[in-house]
């Protein structure tokens, strides 16, 4: 039995599936959220002191551009914190990944009885099923992980050699791993 996939890596849906399924994205989103909140708090503290000093000296509040810069920084970091908190971090990562991907880059993956063969224009990689750590169904794509943030996206629409149910059973049988299903 052999299953084959042809996945365009510059496709936004492929990038979305990878970023949503990646464990590193959730960890990085938490770090980004904390960092944005900390920067917003620092800007707010500086602005509070800045306004206090201006009122104490009876000077115009925004007499130099530094106060305006910190005010804009406060707004920027609050908006960034809110966007990441709202769950848009995976979408941001997907868009950046797609932008940095060479146009038309695609990979072919064959899953055979012996193992997995991944082929890109300059790369050919073979792996045994024991190398897989997670199997993720990310809606329009499957993602086969070999590390927490390293995986191969497989476009379900390009599946040949059987249907999705057969492929899922085949992979569970070969790896012994359960399929993780992400909400659409």
């Amino acid at each position: 039995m052999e299953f084959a996939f042809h996945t365009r890596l510059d496709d936004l849906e492929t990038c979305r599936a990878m970023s949503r399924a990646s464990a590193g994205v959730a960890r990085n989103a938490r770090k980004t959220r904390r960092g944005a909140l900390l920067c917003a708090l620092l800007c707010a503290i500086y602005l509070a002191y800045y306004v206090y000093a201006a009122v104490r000296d009876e000077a115009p509040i925004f007499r130099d551009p530094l106060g305006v810069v910190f005010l804009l920084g406060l707004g920027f970091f609050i908006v960034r914190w809110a966007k990441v908190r709202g769950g848009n971090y995976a979408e941001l990562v997907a868009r950046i990944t797609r932008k940095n991907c060479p146009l038309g880059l695609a990979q072919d993956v064959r899953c055979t009885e012996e193992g997995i063969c991944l082929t890109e224009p300059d790369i050919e990689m073979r792996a045994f099923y024991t190398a897989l750590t997670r199997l993720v169904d990310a809606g329009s794509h499957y993602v086969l992980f070999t590390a927490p943030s390293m995986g191969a996206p497989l476009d379900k629409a390009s599946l040949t050699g059987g249907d999705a149910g057969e492929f899922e059973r085949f992979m569970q049988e070969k790896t012994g791993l359960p399929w993780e299903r992400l909400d659409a």
Side-chain angles (χ1 to χ4, degrees):
M1 183 170 279
E2 181 175 309
F3 296 93
F5 294 88
H6 177 78
T7 306
R8 286 201 44 184
L9 299 177
D10 66 341
D11 179 49
L12 185 57
E13 284 302 314
T14 302
C15 296
R16 281 184 182 134
M18 276 301 295
S19 64
R20 286 182 59 235
S22 175
V25 168
R27 185 172 46 253
N28 290 339
R30 284 190 296 273
K31 287 180 183 176
T32 302
R33 192 170 53 237
R34 283 187 212 126
L37 186 58
L38 179 64
C39 289
L41 288 172
L42 291 174
C43 285
I45 290 168
Y46 176 79
L47 283 172
Y49 175 75
Y50 185 83
V51 169
Y52 166 76
V55 169
R56 182 190 63 206
D57 298 340
E58 297 178 2
I61 291 182
F62 291 108
R63 64 184 177 274
D64 64 57
L66 190 60
V68 175
V69 168
F70 274 91
L71 184 63
L72 292 174
L74 176 65
F76 172 78
F77 288 116
I78 287 174
V79 168
R80 184 158 173 96
W81 174 78
K83 281 187 174 182
V84 173
R85 184 171 167 76
N88 293 336
Y89 189 78
E91 181 69 19
L92 177 68
V93 170
R95 289 185 184 279
I96 291 170
T97 303
R98 179 176 184 235
K99 182 181 170 189
N100 293 332
C101 184
L103 191 62
L105 182 64
Q107 73 179 10
D108 293 310
V109 176
R110 285 188 351 264
C111 299
T112 64
E113 292 290 333
E114 293 78 37
I116 301 168
C117 179
L118 183 138
T119 308
E120 288 182 18
D122 298 330
I123 301 169
E124 184 168 321
M125 183 179 79
R126 296 181 188 278
F128 293 109
Y129 291 107
T130 55
L132 296 178
T133 59
R134 289 174 63 208
L135 304 175
V136 179
D137 180 351
S140 62
H141 289 72
Y142 294 118
V143 184
L144 308 179
F145 282 94
T146 56
S149 294
M150 219 173 108
L154 309 175
D155 187 1
K156 287 183 179 180
S158 69
L159 172 63
T160 59
D163 65 10
E166 290 174 334
F167 174 72
E168 289 177 12
R169 284 189 296 280
F170 175 79
M171 290 303 291
Q172 278 186 307
E173 182 181 298
K174 291 293 182 184
T175 63
L177 298 170
W179 281 96
E180 299 175 33
R181 310 252 186 236
L182 298 181
D183 296 332

